[in-house]
Amino acid sequence: LKATQSRLGYSLALAVIITYLLMAALFESWLYPFIVILSVPLGAVGGILGLWLLNQLQTEVQPLDTLTMIGFIILIGTVVNNANLIVHQALNNMRESGMEPKEAVLESVRTRLWPIFMTLFTTVFGLAPLVLFPGAGSELYRGIGSVLIGGLVVSTFFTLFLVPTLFRVALAIKAGLASLIWRSAQPA
């Protein structure tokens, strides 16, 4: 069991790294995926809260077993999707429509709010029977369901506020550094 847990920890780290590298290739930037990947710890906090809440509501304790840890690995891919939608749409708004960063970020949140909530609601309602209703085998998968529901709910609400803010700050720092480098490169 200890060997399996250490391998799952390794798999969790590998999932984060692969997700980051994949997004770096898609965004063609090292900065934007970093902003998206910052939503993963929020999902992990939500997963832990979901598991805690499940243990408060039922008589049997749901341990942090192998299947529950697999839920955290699944959660990485699910959580980054919402932040990815916001960042990608904001970049498209700036590149294709020529919007200023503040306006592009606000528009991306406005246009991607409904798809983000659709993902949240379909996942929560799809996993709710697994967590709430007893049945054959439900004790095995109840941990995965609670981790995914808790992680997605918490990360969605934080993603809607934190990712746009971090994205705007990163764009401002990037623009400031670019202008500083440009000024220092100009002949005096």
Side-chain angles (χ1 to χ4, degrees), residues 15-83:
V16 171
I17 291 168
I18 289 173
T19 303
Y20 178 80
L21 292 175
L22 179 64
M23 287 188 300
L26 292 173
F27 283 128
E28 297 175 357
S29 169
W30 294 103
L31 175 65
Y32 305 138
F34 182 71
I35 294 165
V36 172
I37 211 79
L38 287 176
S39 62
V40 171
L42 299 172
V45 168
I48 292 169
L49 286 175
L51 193 59
W52 176 81
L53 185 62
L54 177 69
N55 285 331
Q56 298 302 312
L57 296 176
Q58 68 179 11
T59 56
E60 293 180 29
V61 174
Q62 174 66 44
L64 186 62
D65 58 2
T66 304
L67 289 175
T68 306
M69 289 183 68
I70 290 172
F72 282 101
I73 295 172
I74 296 169
L75 190 62
I76 292 171
T78 310
V79 164
V80 298
N81 188 35
N82 293 338

